[in-house]
Amino acid sequence: MADSASDAATVGGTQPAGQGSLQERFEACVSRFPDRTAVVAEDGRLSFAELDHRSDALAAALVTRGAGPETVIGLCLGRGTGLVTGLLGILKSGAAYLPLDPAHPGERLSYMLKDSGALLVLVDSTTVDRLPPGTDARALSVEWLSAPPADRRRLPPHPAGLAYTLYTSGSTGRPKSVAVPHGALPRLLDALEQGVLTGAPPGRVGWNAGISFDASVQQWLRLFRGDTLVLLDEKTRSDPAELAAAIDTHDLTDLDITPSHLAPLLDHFSPDPGRTPLRLLVGGEPIVSSLWNRLRDLAAAGGVVPVNLYGPTECTVDATVAPVADAPQPHIGAPLPGVRVYVLDARLQPVRQGEVGEIYVAGTGVARGYHARAGLTAGRFVADPFAADGSRMYRTGDTARPGPAGLEYLGRTDGQVKLRGYRIELGEIEDLLSRETDVRQVVASVRDDCPGGRGIAVHYVPGREGAGAAELLRVARAHLPSYMIPSAIVPVDRIPTTAAGKADRAALPSPADHGLDPGRERPEHVPPQSATEIMLAEVWSDVLGVGPVGVMDDFFQLGGQSLLAIRLAGRLRRARGRTVPLVAVFENPRLRELAAYLDRTRAGER
């Protein structure tokens, strides 16, 4: 057993060399290469000088409306140049940004705006209608920009001040907000510079993650070292073939991606041995052995440089790094510079190599805590007994086994899961369905035997009113983001329990055999009639792997889930020659509704 702080840490992460605040770093980039392209998006591109000018104008507009330290500004924007302008403008104003995904249900957006106390919400012409009514936050369009003030000098924000607040799934039934300070951002950039990029010159970085996913922070931060940020639009992100083509078209040097997103991409991506190898920053969920081996083979061929990154939102995105090519088996590696990682037992004592313990993370990236959740903060952000300086460490709830190559990730100690890179508290789904529907008992789990593949399954015992799967699905769609909507909802007579009296998820019936209660919930078959309906039925049948599809069928009742919805949107885009927003699939789940939507948009309607 280790008996010192240095032994307790997996590897002593050296303190990264500071190079100033983000504001100072951006000013240095503008001064050194004003004409270099800073942002590339579907709606155009901006040089560093142009981005500086626009974000200054927006920051001035925000300040005149009350923005400043500890105020929260919502960011509800499409994936265009305005998103980067808005984000940088908020940071320049000294305020904090709240990422709001336009595809999320209005009820969830409303809750986040009210809970955070957001002062304003930045919108554009494509998202202004997504702003829910009844909130105190005022809308401000990023498409309205005036000249910045003559005196544009501002003091950098205090390192302890709030930089962003990001909502994650909560075990209490409501999403919880992680409050991250300004000082953590340049420290993360320094850690990536030393531990991952190792002095690489500025490159072209794909912004692949959604704005409400913490991996996006790591991606847009690259702007502050002089990299060109390439925003990948929804149609590109949702189609592996399009994403592979975009890597070549935009000559990307870096791509951050989850394992679930990466696996289908590799079926279309052929590294060019004549170009600089693509750096793949893989994170968000564990890499399975088959994908790890595939990446090692690509690395050996010289086409990619894959690294595995691990870290919770509460520790500012990334805490450890593992070069994939260096080990034959998956692991999460060693701490990044400035980060301390401990693997501790129940008595907060370090475990020996080969033993299992819980991961605790300390150092420069630890967040301030959870907004307005003092009890939850106290339970997760605890004193670091090895630092002896009053600093805190974060109890991750992840388990690991220290080994010769690094930490072997083993899973969770609670009901939290990772699905396609998103962190999900199963308790939030269970609480919602118990609260909003007439069910006696409900259990959510992640299973590999859902219709359409790995997804969330809900087993429930109906209440007196006999609420069916369709009602539970309706409630889930109205309140939850797409990645948390169940793939299968199965009625059962009782929930089996273990000897300890807990729900025995392993003993629940397979969703593949029961689906969404098809015997009672699937409507009478009505054949498709119009050309659009026939095309849709063929695509649905192929994507979902089901038999004849009728116009009254529901995509999600047939086994659809968020990953399959992404595939559907990509297939429809190729069939129609124009983008089909992912949110349209969720808002028009029946085939007849989606066909009508496609016909309206083809005619130029909204």
Side-chain angles (χ1 to χ4, degrees):
M1 180 176 295
D3 57 7
S4 70
S6 60
D7 289 335
T10 305
V11 172
T14 58
Q15 184 71 22
Q19 299 178 16
S21 69
L22 289 186
Q23 182 173 313
E24 292 166 336
R25 296 176 194 219
F26 186 74
E27 290 173 354
C29 289
V30 175
S31 176
R32 289 173 55 201
F33 27 76
D35 297 326
R36 175 183 291 174
T37 300
V39 181
V40 177
E42 191 175 26
D43 65 340
R45 58 183 62 211
L46 297 174
S47 68
F48 275 90
E50 291 170 329
L51 179 58
D52 184 43
H53 182 87
R54 292 193 183 192
S55 57
D56 269 334
L58 183 57
L62 290 172
V63 170
T64 60
R65 289 163 172 78
E70 300 303 314
T71 58
V72 175
I73 309 297
L75 198 61
C76 187
L77 296 165
R79 297 179 69 83
T81 55
L83 177 60
V84 185
T85 301
L87 195 155
L88 185 55
I90 293 172
L91 294 177
K92 283 185 173 184
S93 76
Y97 80 89
L98 164 66
L100 299 167
D101 191 328
H104 284 183
E107 188 273 343
R108 194 176 187 86
L109 296 178
S110 179
Y111 171 80
M112 291 191 289
L113 286 169
K114 291 178 181 178
D115 184 67
S116 67
L119 175 70
L120 299 163
V121 183
L122 297 183
V123 297
D124 58 29
S125 59
T126 68
T127 63
V128 64
D129 292 337
R130 298 299 302 165
L131 196 63
T135 64
D136 295 331
R138 295 168 289 158
L140 177 64
S141 174
V142 294
E143 294 162 343
W144 174 86
L145 293 172
S146 62
D151 182 9
R152 299 187 292 172
R153 293 182 60 82
R154 293 189 184 89
L155 291 176
H158 192 281
L162 186 64
Y164 66 87
T165 183
L166 192 150
Y167 281 80
T168 68
S169 183
S171 59
T172 60
R174 288 288 189 178
K176 60 183 182 293
S177 173
V178 181
V180 176
H182 281 282
L185 298 178
R187 299 291 80 79
L188 172 60
L189 187 57
D190 289 338
L192 292 172
E193 183 77 59
Q194 295 183 30
V196 179
L197 306 178
T198 59
R204 297 174 65 83
V205 179
W207 183 347
N208 180 38
I211 184 65
S212 62
F213 187 21
D214 70 339
S216 66
V217 175
Q218 179 218 88
Q219 293 163 41
W220 62 252
L221 265 180
R222 297 287 296 275
L223 189 70
F224 294 83
R225 70 182 292 270
D227 293 279
T228 296
L229 198 58
V230 180
L231 276 77
L232 302 171
D233 57 40
E234 293 294 348
K235 69 179 182 181
T236 301
R237 297 171 64 226
S238 65
D239 188 324
E242 288 283 338
L243 181 54
I247 292 172
D248 290 330
T249 301
H250 294 290
D251 196 23
L252 296 186
T253 60
D254 297 75
L255 181 67
D256 187 281
I257 192 167
T258 65
S260 293
H261 199 183
L262 175 60
L265 169 66
L266 294 182
D267 293 333
H268 301 271
F269 176 63
S270 298
D272 182 354
R275 57 160 282 175
T276 302
L278 175 68
R279 184 182 291 106
L280 287 171
L281 309 177
V282 189
E285 59 189 349
I287 302 179
V288 297
S289 295
S290 57
L291 180 58
W292 185 276
N293 292 334
R294 196 173 180 185
L295 289 173
R296 290 189 73 215
D297 290 342
L298 287 172
V304 299
V305 179
V307 295
N308 187 25
L309 292 165
Y310 160 85
T313 303
E314 289 84 350
C315 298
T316 318
V317 192
D318 295 320
T320 71
V321 59
V324 173
D326 291 352
Q329 298 295 328
H331 68 99
I332 59 174
L336 285 165
V339 179
R340 301 187 302 277
V341 175
Y342 313 117
V343 183
L344 308 178
D345 62 19
R347 296 175 299 133
L348 296 186
Q349 293 298 310
V351 302
R352 296 186 179 92
Q353 190 171 112
E355 296 180 341
V356 177
E358 184 174 355
I359 300 174
Y360 289 74
V361 179
T364 57
V366 176
R368 297 191 339 186
Y370 300 111
H371 170 68
R373 302 280 186 94
L376 188 60
T377 298
R380 285 293 186 183
F381 295 83
V382 297
D384 182 352
F386 307 103
D389 59 2
S391 61
R392 300 171 306 152
M393 59 182 182
Y394 174 68
R395 180 182 181 182
T396 67
D398 292 326
T399 60
R401 179 189 294 115
L407 292 179
E408 178 189 358
Y409 180 83
L410 298 175
R412 295 289 302 175
T413 63
D414 53 21
Q416 187 186 111
V417 297
K418 281 287 188 78
L419 186 63
R420 289 179 282 281
Y422 288 96
R423 192 167 81 178
I424 298 170
E425 293 278 4
L426 296 174
E428 181 177 352
I429 301 172
E430 295 169 347
D431 181 83
L432 169 70
L433 297 180
S434 298
R435 185 177 69 244
E436 299 290 335
T437 68
D438 175 46
V439 295
R440 289 167 50 202
Q441 196 174 0
V442 60
V443 172
S445 57
V446 171
R447 300 180 61 127
D448 293 322
D449 54 354
C450 287
R454 185 172 175 82
I456 298 171
V458 165
H459 292 77
Y460 73 100
V461 179
R464 291 182 179 179
E465 299 299 321
E471 174 63 11
L472 272 66
L473 187 59
R474 182 195 64 79
V475 170
R477 286 183 191 152
H479 295 268
L480 299 174
S482 61
Y483 59 85
M484 292 180 68
I485 295 174
S487 302
I489 301 179
V490 183
V492 293
D493 294 330
R494 68 178 185 87
I495 301 295
T497 57
T498 64
K502 297 182 179 181
D504 188 353
R505 287 172 166 82
L508 290 165
S510 170
D513 298 333
H514 294 78
L516 282 122
D517 195 11
R520 287 192 290 162
E521 303 294 346
R522 189 167 182 180
E524 181 180 353
H525 180 73
V526 179
Q529 299 295 324
S530 70
T532 303
E533 290 174 350
I534 293 172
M535 179 273 294
L536 265 182
E538 292 174 350
V539 173
W540 280 26
S541 180
D542 186 40
V543 169
L544 296 171
V546 297
V549 177
V551 297
M552 300 306 295
D553 278 323
D554 184 299
F555 181 78
F556 299 97
Q557 286 190 4
L558 293 180
Q561 30 92 336
S562 58
L563 184 60
L564 294 179
I566 290 173
R567 293 179 186 171
L568 173 62
R571 288 285 301 274
L572 293 180
R573 185 192 62 77
R574 291 196 296 272
R576 300 176 72 236
R578 57 187 300 181
T579 300
V580 177
L582 185 59
V583 68
V585 178
F586 289 92
E587 292 180 344
N588 302 277
R590 291 193 184 278
L591 189 141
R592 175 172 286 172
E593 297 169 355
L594 187 56
Y597 168 86
L598 296 177
D599 288 338
R600 285 197 309 274
T601 54
R602 182 182 292 114
E605 300 177 13
R606 287 286 177 190

